């Protein structure tokens, strides 16, 4: 039975164990987020033979900020080392197409695992912990299926089965908080500086470029919220629920921004040093949109 720690579940990207799948499988087009066009299945011209990014330390100044936003939830290493048993798309070019398709499915499964694992750590959600555990075990089982099974898996159907549990978890965690209901709200560019958003329902809300400086987002449900360019300097997201690394990466924070312990403070946030050389922990998204926020958030 898997644990609930993201690292125990392999939900933190381990790019040393991946075949640069995010830099090959996904497309992007020239925009403010990517300097050039790239088709799905075409290796990024910055990807080296050893699957390292040749400009990793200069991604943002070189015109690839989208690559610093994307997060695969550990799907890359699972597909590379488990599903395809350590054989890369370069070693087995005949498997490339299927590997890329499976990567897209695996990322969605790992995203669900992230939410379920977090839900199991929330004490107010104890009434549904048993159901959450069963859903987590089933999702983990699916993630270990063969490539043939994963390629044909109806992830949307599985998500539809899991979503009611995540909704119930959110209700239990936010109960009594009298939080605002802004689910799916258009808050693009909204002036919310210092706003009290404790226990707010912000599922699928469009917070692109919103001013959330100093805002209190504790216990707010942020699943699917679009935080691209949102100003989070000094904001408190300490125990915001269902917040992901990609969302944090897409926003603009600073050293005073408080985030959940399971997440990493992005090095490109104001006042923080750029990372030293390491394997690429990011990659492209869908054409013409920032990575990690490729599509408009699902209204859950």
């Amino acid at each position: 039975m898997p644990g609930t720690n993201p690292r125990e579940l392999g939900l933190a990207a381990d790019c040393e164990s991946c075949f640069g799948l995010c830099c090959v499988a996904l497309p992007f087009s020239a925009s403010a987020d990517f300097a050039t066009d790239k088709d799905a299945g075409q290796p990024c011209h910055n990807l080296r033979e050893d699957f390292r990014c040749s400009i990793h330390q200069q991604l943002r100044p070189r015109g690839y900020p989208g690559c610093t936003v994307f997060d695969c939830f550990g799907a890359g290493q699972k597909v590379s080392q488990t599903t395809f048993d350590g054989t890369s798309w370069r070693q087995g070019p005949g498997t490339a197409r299927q590997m890329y398709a499976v990567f897209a499915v695996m990322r969605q499964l790992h995203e669900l695992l992230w939410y379920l694992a977090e839900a199991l750590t929330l004490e107010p959600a104890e009434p549904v912990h048993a159901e959450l555990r069963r859903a987590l075990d089933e999702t983990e089982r699916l993630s270990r299926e063969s490539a043939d099974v994963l390629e044909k898996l109806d992830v949307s159907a599985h998500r539809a089965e899991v979503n009611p549990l995540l909704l119930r978890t959110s209700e239990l965690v936010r109960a009594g908080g009298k939080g605002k209901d802004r689910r799916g709200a258009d808050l693009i560019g909204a002036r919310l500086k210092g706003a009290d958003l404790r226990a707010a329902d912000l599922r699928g809300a469009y917070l692109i470029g919103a001013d959330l400086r100093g805002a209190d987002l504790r216990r707010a449900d942020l699943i699917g919220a679009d935080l691209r360019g949102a100003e989070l300097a000094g904001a408190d997201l300490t125990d915001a629920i269902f917040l992901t690394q990609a969302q944090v990466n897409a926003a603009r924070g600073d050293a005073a921004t408080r985030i959940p312990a399971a997440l990493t403070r992005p090095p490109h946030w104001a006042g923080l040093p750029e990372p030293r050389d390491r394997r690429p922990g990011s990659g492209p998204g869908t054409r013409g949109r920032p990575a990690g926020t490729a599509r408009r958030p699902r209204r859950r």
Side-chain angles (χ1 to χ4, degrees), residues 208-227:
I208 303 168
D211 184 356
L212 289 162
R213 290 175 294 169
D216 191 341
L217 290 151
R218 288 175 291 173
R219 286 193 296 137
D221 184 346
L222 290 166
I223 198 168
D226 195 333
L227 292 170

Side-chain angles (χ1 to χ4, degrees), residues 144-227:
R144 296 187 177 278
E145 286 282 7
S146 69
D148 289 341
V149 172
L150 285 166
E151 184 181 14
K152 299 174 183 177
L153 183 67
D154 188 344
V155 186
S156 296
H158 182 62
R159 185 183 290 272
E161 294 177 3
V162 172
N163 194 49
L165 285 174
L166 300 179
L167 281 167
R168 181 57 179 150
T169 296
S170 175
E171 292 168 355
L172 290 167
V173 171
R174 295 182 298 104
K178 298 181 179 180
K180 299 177 180 178
D181 183 359
R182 305 309 302 272
R183 183 175 179 178
D186 184 350
L187 298 171
I188 297 174
R191 298 177 181 178
L192 297 168
K193 183 178 180 180
D196 183 357
L197 294 169
R198 286 175 294 176
D201 184 351
L202 291 166
R203 287 176 156 242
Y206 303 109
L207 289 159
I208 303 168
D211 184 356
L212 289 162
R213 290 175 294 169
D216 191 341
L217 290 151
R218 288 175 291 173
R219 286 193 296 137
D221 184 346
L222 290 166
I223 198 168
D226 195 333
L227 292 170

Side-chain angles (χ1 to χ4, degrees), residues 4-7 12 114 118 238 243-245 259-265:
T4 57
N5 182 285
R7 295 193 180 278
W114 178 277
E118 179 183 347
T238 305
L243 182 66
T244 68
Q245 191 65 51
I259 60 176
L263 302 178
T264 301
R265 190 176 302 275

